């Protein structure tokens, strides 16, 4: 943001702070760059030039206005940032009457510029971290030399092992709202020291909060639970946290990122750790579904040709509930609000449609799960 834009925002707020008095912001050349009296913008303020030369406040009495071309009576103060004069702020009125208000205004102005500088710096570092993760995950062009450059700019010292963690929100939120909530989660993660700037990298990437976390194998499980609790509280529930494997090199970290992002595709709430056998199975299923689409399409078409659209949706939804319940007829029937006999009938009919020949339970589940994933890709609003 340009100096003039920052000054204009400041004047708009500061004028109300001092009960509507005219407020001017001058640059180090003594030019009024923002004012609650728009006609004065762009003019020279000789009082401000004197402030810049001396580094001291300048009070202009009504009788002294002739000695300060372009100025009016009032009180003018230097604004410093890290001991460097960056601007002059002035307030219109009898100097004795507005002096206290001028010092309040000066303190507010310094803080305002400091906060804007901090925000600008934070945006720069946000961009550097996002670039680092994008290059690491092959989402953007770059190489190891570029990663080293970015690590140097961030003063980053990766401590192995590392793992990639992807955090997202389950539910129908627009992109802006999702990013706002994930930024809040990132603030909470930093506040609780669950990410350390000198060792970890985090950034918003494609509506997800990604975190490359350094740590030890012994701490990994406990850390994920603490992190998930923090994220869940920040997001008021509906959180999904997906963790890839622990890695000893950045090359392996790319694989960890691939695992975490693939697990995100399950759309399941909760903590999903690739080291958990159930999550590992989900990961392999999704990877197979991505790589073997033509083969799965053939199986899917065999089922869809024998069922009408309504029955296909109902059957696959039944199978998804059945397998999500670990093969429990009772639990799946309760989840679907149907009788156990109805569920068993649907599953038997689906198995017969899938393969009239004798097929083992594992093979049936494996093929049907792949068909469910394929169906979800075709009809995201289904199941």
């Amino acid at each position: 943001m340009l100096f003039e834009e920052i000054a204009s925002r400041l004047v708009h707020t500061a004028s109300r702070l001092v009960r509507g008095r005219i407020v001017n912001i001058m640059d180090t050349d003594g030019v009024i760059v923002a004012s609650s009296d728009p006609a004065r913008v762009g003019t020279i303020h000789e009082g401000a030039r004197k402030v810049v030369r001396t580094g001291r406040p300048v009070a202009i009495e009504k009788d002294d206005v002739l000695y300060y071309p372009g100025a009016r009576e009032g009180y003018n103060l230097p604004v410093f940032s890290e001991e460097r004069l960056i601007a002059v702020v002035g307030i219109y009125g009898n100097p004795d009457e507005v002096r206290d208000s001028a010092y309040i205004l000066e303190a507010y102005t310094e803080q305002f510029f400091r906060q804007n500088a901090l925000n600008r710096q934070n945006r720069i570092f946000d961009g550097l971290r996002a670039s680092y993760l994008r290059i690491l995950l092959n989402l953007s062009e770059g190489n190891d030399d570029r990663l080293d450059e970015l690590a140097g700019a961030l003063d980053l010292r990766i401590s192995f092992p590392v793992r990639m963690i992807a955090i997202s929100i389950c539910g129908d939120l627009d992109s802006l709202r999702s990013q706002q909530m994930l930024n809040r989660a990132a603030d909470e993660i930093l506040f609780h020291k669950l990410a350390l700037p000198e060792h970890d990298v985090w950034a918003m990437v494609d509506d997800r909060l990604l975190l490359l976390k350094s740590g030890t194998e012994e701490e990994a499980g406990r850390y994920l639970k603490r992190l998930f609790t923090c994220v869940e509280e920040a997001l008021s529930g509906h959180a999904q946290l997906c963790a890839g494997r622990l890695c000893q090199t950045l090359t392996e970290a790319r694989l960890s990122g691939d695992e975490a992002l693939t697990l995100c595709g399950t759309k399941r709430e909760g903590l999903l750790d690739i080291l958990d056998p159930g999550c590992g199975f989900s990961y392999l299923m999704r990877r197979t579904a991505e790589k073997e689409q033509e083969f799965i399409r053939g199986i899917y078409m065999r089922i869809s040709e024998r069922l009408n659209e309504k029955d296909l949706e109902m059957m696959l939804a039944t199978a998804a509930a059945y397998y999500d319940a670990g093969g429990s007829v009772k639990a799946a029937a309760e989840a679907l609000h149907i009788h156990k006999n109805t569920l068993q009938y649907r599953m038997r009919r689906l198995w017969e449609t899938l393969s009239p020949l004798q097929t083992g339970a594992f093979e049936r589940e494996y093929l049907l799960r792949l068909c469910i994933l394929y169906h979800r890709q075709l009809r995201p609003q289904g199941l």
Side-chain angles (χ1 to χ4, degrees):
M1 185 180 295
L2 296 175
F3 176 82
E4 290 81 0
E5 294 175 359
I6 297 173
S8 294
R9 286 176 50 196
L10 169 62
V11 163
H12 178 72
T13 305
S15 181
R16 289 178 293 180
L17 184 68
V18 291
R19 301 178 182 178
R21 288 185 178 275
I22 294 176
V23 172
N24 301 316
I25 303 292
M26 284 73 72
D27 63 17
T28 51
D29 291 323
V31 176
I32 300 177
V33 295
S35 174
S36 47
D37 179 2
R40 301 189 66 190
V41 174
T43 62
I44 298 290
H45 190 295
E46 196 59 41
R49 297 181 71 175
K50 183 176 180 180
V51 172
V52 172
R53 288 195 304 271
T54 63
R56 300 173 63 83
V58 171
I60 302 177
E61 303 287 349
K62 192 171 186 178
D63 294 340
D64 296 332
V65 169
L66 291 175
Y67 303 108
Y68 296 95
R72 296 178 183 172
E73 67 172 326
Y75 206 85
N76 303 276
L77 288 162
V79 178
F80 292 93
S81 176
E82 298 180 353
E83 300 183 357
R84 182 173 64 90
L85 194 151
I86 60 170
V88 177
V89 60
I91 182 172
Y92 172 74
N94 184 311
D96 292 332
E97 295 176 1
V98 300
R99 181 180 287 103
D100 290 344
S101 295
Y103 276 100
I104 293 173
L105 183 60
E106 178 261 346
Y108 179 78
T109 302
E110 282 194 5
Q111 183 60 36
F112 192 92
F113 276 105
R114 188 179 299 116
Q115 187 62 49
N116 273 276
L118 181 61
N119 291 341
R120 187 164 60 251
Q121 184 183 49
N122 286 341
R123 285 194 295 271
I124 291 171
F125 278 102
D126 286 346
L128 293 175
R129 285 192 291 265
S131 294
Y132 187 97
L133 292 177
R134 282 186 169 279
I135 292 172
L136 180 65
L137 298 174
N138 291 325
L139 299 176
S140 297
E141 292 185 7
N143 52 33
D144 289 346
D145 290 339
R146 180 57 178 153
L147 286 178
D148 289 341
E149 292 174 2
L150 289 168
L154 292 166
D155 197 20
L156 176 67
R157 300 179 299 282
I158 296 290
S159 176
F160 294 98
V162 297
R163 72 191 317 182
M164 189 67 73
I165 298 168
I167 300 167
S168 53
I169 303 172
C170 295
D172 298 324
L173 290 178
D174 61 73
S175 179
L176 177 59
R177 179 59 178 155
S178 177
Q179 288 200 17
Q180 289 173 337
M181 293 184 69
L182 288 172
N183 282 329
R184 184 197 309 162
D187 290 340
E188 287 297 310
I189 290 170
L190 291 171
F191 177 78
H192 292 287
K193 300 188 184 307
L194 293 170
L196 303 175
E198 62 269 26
H199 296 302
D200 307 321
V201 189
W202 67 93
M204 288 293 304
V205 177
D206 300 334
D207 289 339
R208 293 189 181 97
L209 175 61
L210 298 187
L211 169 62
L212 180 66
K213 177 61 185 173
S214 299
T216 65
E217 295 185 25
E218 291 78 14
E219 297 173 347
R222 293 194 301 273
Y223 171 79
L224 285 180
K225 290 177 182 177
R226 287 191 292 122
L227 179 64
F228 180 69
T229 298
C230 175
V231 168
E232 194 173 36
E233 290 177 356
L235 299 180
S236 303
H238 308 296
Q240 182 196 57
L241 189 152
C242 302
R245 73 181 80 175
L246 286 160
C247 305
Q248 295 296 338
T249 68
L250 286 181
T251 300
E252 291 179 359
R254 290 187 174 96
L255 300 177
S256 181
D258 180 68
E259 291 165 351
L261 292 175
T262 299
L263 285 175
C264 283
T266 63
K267 305 298 183 183
R268 287 164 46 198
E269 291 184 16
L271 171 57
L272 308 181
D273 184 354
I274 194 70
L275 300 181
D276 175 76
C279 292
F281 179 74
S282 296
Y283 167 76
L284 290 174
M285 290 295 297
R286 296 198 70 83
R287 293 295 289 173
T288 303
E290 291 170 3
K291 292 184 176 181
E292 303 294 340
Q293 286 204 14
E294 282 303 309
F295 175 76
I296 300 167
R297 179 177 177 276
I299 300 172
Y300 178 83
M301 293 304 296
R302 189 191 313 164
I303 298 174
S304 62
E305 286 170 357
R306 299 179 187 182
L307 298 171
N308 62 45
E309 187 173 338
K310 182 179 178 181
D311 283 350
L312 176 65
E313 181 74 26
M314 178 184 66
M315 293 292 189
L316 291 180
T318 300
Y322 176 71
Y323 291 127
D324 287 346
S328 169
V329 173
K330 182 176 182 294
E334 289 177 353
L336 293 170
H337 307 291
I338 59 176
H339 195 276
K340 290 188 293 184
N341 291 345
T342 302
L343 185 136
Q344 290 174 316
Y345 166 76
R346 290 179 185 176
M347 291 304 300
R348 187 163 53 250
R349 184 182 172 194
L350 190 54
W351 288 332
E352 291 172 352
T353 305
L354 174 68
S355 177
L357 302 176
Q358 189 68 27
T359 306
F362 174 78
E363 288 84 354
R364 288 199 301 259
E365 178 177 353
Y366 183 74
L367 293 175
L368 277 175
R369 280 185 178 273
L370 290 174
C371 287
I372 291 167
L373 288 174
Y374 186 82
H375 183 79
R376 285 171 172 164
Q377 288 179 342
L378 293 179
R379 305 175 191 180
Q381 304 305 318
L383 297 185

